[in-house]
Amino acid sequence: MRKLSFVIAIIMLGTLLSACSSVTSTMDQTPAGVTSGESKEIEKYNAYVMLNNLMTGRINEVLVHYFEKLGVDTQPVIEKNFSFIMLDVAETEREVIDKANGYTASQPAFATADPLVTKLTPVIKDLLSVLDDMKAYYDSKGYVDDNFAQGKQLHTRLVNANLAYENVATQYFRALQKLGNEQRLAELQKLKDADQQIRYNALKFMIDAEATAIEMDEQGISAGNVLQLDMTKFKAKYDIMTADLNELMTISKDKERIQKEGVNSFSIGNYVDAATEAKAAASKIIERINKKEPVSDSDLNGQFLHTTDGTPENFNYLLSKAIERYNEMN
């Protein structure tokens, strides 16, 4: 089964730029300081991000929940006194698939990502079709009637559909990560030039927090081997992220600056709270390493590793929540 990329979500762009203009701007209007071409580029990029976030968010959650219960081999692992609640992907969440696919032929072209969205669309829909069949089967407890005959067939279908999905999804994540790096650095410079200090610091924390997550990902560090983390390399990224948060916490309390930039104080407050939790999760990794305290077998074998303190999984989970709060900022 595919391992998650280092974060659950990707930062969306555009809302911060549009906030520089009147709050009455609509989706059909081009915000002040943003050209029509830039607006279209951001709109398309965000559509691709929403697809990514569906995949690394709810779809991944459903797959992990299932495979942790019934295994990833071609035949399911069925426990005695079996009981299971199958999760699903809501129809409203799936709308981003067709929306993203609708941008593949539009300008500006994203040479690497466009063909992957086209290739990915039918693969995701095939995967979701299997998940829908499984949802109906397990909700009705069909395994009681047929002694798991259909359940075994559905499991094999899911394993095959997931393998096809993983292959294209991995390529898509890499392409979007590279595209996202370019887009975010460009936006960061625009915010700095426009003296949008709150938004600048909010985005800078996100970029540097992701760099912290990437460092662990590139070292191959997870809960199982967290004590092997190269602290020198990790701390270099962690210290920058920490400095970002301190700056953000200070400037987000500046009422005059909030009014000047037109930032919603409630949304920036929610974001700062989430960013603080993410940073604290990274601090707990350092604490665990300093104490030389490995993650327990019970936690490693459990279904809620993302809530276990002092693990990359917990940091990534809380970072994804911070990204969600960032994407909601206005």
Side-chain angles (χ1 to χ4, degrees):
M1 181 173 58
R2 175 179 57 83
K3 296 295 184 183
L4 264 181
S5 56
F6 56 88
V7 289
I8 305 299
I10 285 182
I11 302 166
M12 291 175 63
L13 301 180
T15 54
L16 302 189
L17 291 177
S18 64
C20 300
S21 65
S22 169
V23 295
T24 59
S25 294
T26 69
M27 291 287 290
D28 298 325
Q29 296 174 327
T30 301
V34 182
T35 67
S36 176
E38 288 173 332
S39 179
K40 290 179 180 178
E41 182 176 11
I42 291 171
E43 183 179 317
K44 178 174 179 175
Y45 170 76
N46 283 347
Y48 284 9
V49 167
M50 290 173 70
L51 175 61
N52 173 91
N53 292 352
L54 170 68
M55 294 162 65
T56 58
R58 184 57 176 177
I59 290 178
N60 184 77
E61 183 181 0
V62 173
L63 291 173
V64 169
H65 179 74
Y66 177 84
F67 284 127
E68 284 185 343
K69 180 68 175 181
L70 289 109
V72 297
D73 295 330
T74 54
Q75 291 298 316
V77 177
I78 303 169
E79 300 174 348
K80 187 177 181 180
N81 300 321
F82 178 85
S83 178
F84 182 61
I85 298 175
M86 185 75 193
L87 303 180
D88 65 342
V89 181
E91 288 296 329
T92 53
E93 295 178 290
R94 304 181 191 200
E95 294 172 358
V96 302
I97 301 171
D98 288 332
K99 182 176 182 179
N101 192 52
Y103 280 99
T104 55
S106 67
Q107 295 297 318
F110 295 154
T112 305
D114 289 343
L116 288 172
V117 174
T118 301
K119 187 176 180 181
L120 194 55
T121 301
V123 175
I124 293 180
K125 290 186 175 182
D126 181 55
L127 178 71
L128 290 174
S129 176
V130 181
L131 292 175
D132 287 344
D133 289 345
M134 299 184 91
K135 175 67 173 172
Y137 179 76
Y138 285 104
D139 279 0
S140 67
K141 296 188 179 294
Y143 53 87
V144 175
D145 304 324
D146 65 5
N147 195 28
F148 275 99
Q150 186 181 357
K152 292 177 181 178
Q153 294 175 358
L154 289 170
H155 181 88
T156 301
R157 281 179 57 198
L158 181 60
V159 168
N160 292 333
N162 187 52
L163 285 174
Y165 167 71
E166 286 178 354
N167 181 45
V168 189
T170 301
Q171 298 175 56
Y172 182 63
F173 295 147
R174 289 172 181 166
L176 202 60
Q177 180 186 337
K178 181 179 179 181
L179 177 63
N181 289 340
E182 298 168 355
Q183 297 279 347
R184 287 175 294 180
L185 290 175
E187 178 155 339
L188 192 66
Q189 186 60 49
K190 288 179 181 178
L191 292 170
K192 185 176 182 179
D193 293 343
D195 193 31
Q196 295 287 307
Q197 294 182 24
I198 294 177
R199 296 183 171 89
Y200 171 84
N201 283 282
L203 180 56
K204 189 173 188 303
F205 172 83
M206 280 285 79
I207 292 172
D208 292 332
E210 280 195 353
T212 306
I214 292 171
E215 180 59 46
M216 288 189 286
D217 185 66
E218 290 182 342
Q219 289 189 36
I221 299 299
S222 64
N225 65 351
V226 66
L227 298 187
Q228 297 176 24
L229 179 66
D230 184 326
M231 283 295 290
T232 300
K233 293 181 178 179
F234 177 75
K235 279 283 271 123
K237 303 290 173 49
Y238 170 87
D239 288 345
I240 295 173
M241 174 185 68
T242 300
D244 289 343
L245 180 62
N246 291 336
E247 184 68 25
L248 176 62
M249 292 174 73
T250 299
I251 200 167
S252 67
K253 296 174 183 176
D254 187 333
K255 294 182 180 180
E256 290 185 6
R257 171 59 60 174
I258 289 174
Q259 185 174 9
K260 177 182 178 180
E261 295 190 22
V263 180
N264 181 293
S265 59
F266 181 76
S267 64
I268 185 63
N270 283 343
Y271 169 65
V272 172
D273 288 345
T276 301
E277 289 185 8
K279 183 271 175 189
S283 300
K284 291 175 183 177
I285 293 174
I286 295 175
E287 287 182 329
R288 179 182 290 280
I289 292 173
N290 288 341
K291 294 177 182 178
K292 297 181 172 58
E293 182 181 308
V295 178
S296 68
D297 289 340
S298 60
D299 283 331
L300 289 173
N301 295 326
Q303 297 186 21
F304 305 102
L305 194 56
H306 66 284
T307 64
T308 302
D309 286 346
T311 65
E313 288 83 354
N314 180 240
F315 173 65
N316 293 346
Y317 174 73
L318 291 174
L319 177 56
S320 76
K321 295 302 179 184
I323 291 174
E324 289 176 8
R325 297 292 84 78
Y326 177 91
N327 289 340
E328 294 169 356
M329 278 179 57
N330 54 50

